């Protein structure tokens, strides 16, 4: 069971990037997905979340610049990041909350949260 994140990279200030996070086939239910980020020397912080009902939540620092969206059929969440600033530089991690998935043996497993690997976003001129 895994979350596969992609889309990070380097961009100049004012530029845009789109992150994607796809849940593996074994995951069949979750309450929400979202993104955290961790900048060098700082704690991990919430960026944005979206529930399976479509409700969204954003950190104040990204409101109006970032947009989170989801495709339930594809079990994928996206983070469109516009007007990027140098202070957005961080490793971005996707996660899923209150997850149900099938183990390799076919047993249904409930897990509070699952994290994907990080993807680095660098905003620099």
């Amino acid at each position: 069971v895994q979350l596969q994140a992609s889309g990070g990279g380097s961009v100049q200030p004012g530029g845009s990037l789109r992150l994607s996070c796809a849940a593996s086939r074994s995951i069949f239910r979750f309450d929400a997905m979202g993104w955290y980020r961790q900048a060098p020397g700082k704690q991990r912080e919430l960026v944005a979340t979206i529930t399976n009902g479509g409700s969204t939540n954003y950190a104040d620092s990204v409101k109006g610049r970032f947009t989170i969206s989801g495709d339930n059929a594809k079990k994928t969440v996206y983070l469109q990041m516009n007007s990027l600033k140098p202070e957005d530089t961080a490793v971005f991690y996707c996660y899923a909350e209150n997850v149900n998935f099938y183990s390799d043996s076919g047993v249904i497993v409930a897990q509070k949260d699952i994290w994907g690997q990080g993807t680095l976003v660098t905003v620099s001129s």
Side-chain angles (χ1 to χ4, degrees), residues 15 27 30 59 64 76 90 92 95 105 109:
I27 295 174
F30 49 84
T76 300
F92 283 69
Y95 81 102
S105 59
V109 179

Side-chain angles (χ1 to χ4, degrees), residues 2-71:
Q2 64 176 353
L3 299 176
Q4 184 67 44
S6 61
S10 295
V11 65
Q12 292 186 339
S16 299
L17 284 173
R18 188 193 195 206
L19 305 182
S20 299
C21 177
S24 61
R25 292 175 58 186
S26 60
I27 295 174
F28 63 90
R29 183 192 174 280
F30 49 84
D31 283 351
M33 291 182 71
W35 296 90
Y36 277 72
R37 67 184 179 186
Q38 187 165 17
K42 295 187 177 181
Q43 291 187 333
R44 191 174 295 191
E45 64 174 359
L46 176 70
V47 177
T49 61
I50 184 167
T51 69
N52 55 19
S55 298
T56 58
N57 182 48
Y58 296 93
D60 287 342
S61 59
V62 307
K63 284 180 180 178
R65 300 188 298 123
F66 291 9
T67 302
I68 190 168
S69 60
D71 185 330

Side-chain angles (χ1 to χ4, degrees), residues 37 39 42 45 65 84-90 123:
R37 67 184 179 186
K42 295 187 177 181
E45 64 174 359
R65 300 188 298 123
L84 282 161
K85 304 175 181 180
E87 51 263 43
D88 294 317
T89 295
V123 185

